[in-house]
Amino acid sequence: MTETTRCGQSALALACSWPVVRRALGYGLVVGFVLASINHGDCFVHGHFGTDGCWYKSILTACVPYVVSTLSSVQALLSAEAECAGEWAGAREDQ
């Protein structure tokens, strides 16, 4: 993902930008909590959180929606930039 936008921001820079990180953290916490409750709820209920790697699996479960949100936000921003650049180039050709 080294694609550069018209403004000079790479995909990595977009992924690390605060609006994208803030949105991904929100989705990661909410959706991650729901997924961890569904997938590892028995560990929480029976107090086995520290055994069998339940804490590790729960953290990884919360990372999935964070990564998905980050990737989709970056792709949407890159697509919007490309559309704007295309419209701008088309307007210049009309002149």
Side-chain angles (χ1 to χ4, degrees):
M1 269 210 269
T2 59
E3 184 177 345
T4 303
T5 65
R6 186 170 50 96
C7 296
Q9 283 188 308
S10 68
L12 182 60
L14 286 172
C16 294
S17 68
W18 177 241
V20 172
V21 170
R22 183 182 62 225
R23 183 179 302 115
L25 282 173
Y27 285 123
L29 289 174
V30 173
V31 177
F33 175 76
V34 171
L35 289 175
S37 297
I38 292 169
N39 294 329
H40 311 293
D42 56 335
C43 289
F44 303 140
V45 171
H46 296 109
H48 298 230
F49 190 68
T51 61
D52 299 330
C54 283
W55 64 271
Y56 178 71
K57 292 176 186 176
S58 297
I59 291 172
L60 284 178
T61 300
C63 289
V64 172
Y66 178 87
V67 171
V68 170
S69 176
T70 300
L71 291 175
S72 60
S73 293
V74 168
Q75 187 60 45
L77 290 169
L78 289 174
S79 295
E81 287 273 342
E83 287 179 19
C84 288
E87 290 174 9
W88 186 74
R92 287 194 56 189
E93 291 173 3
D94 292 341
Q95 292 178 358

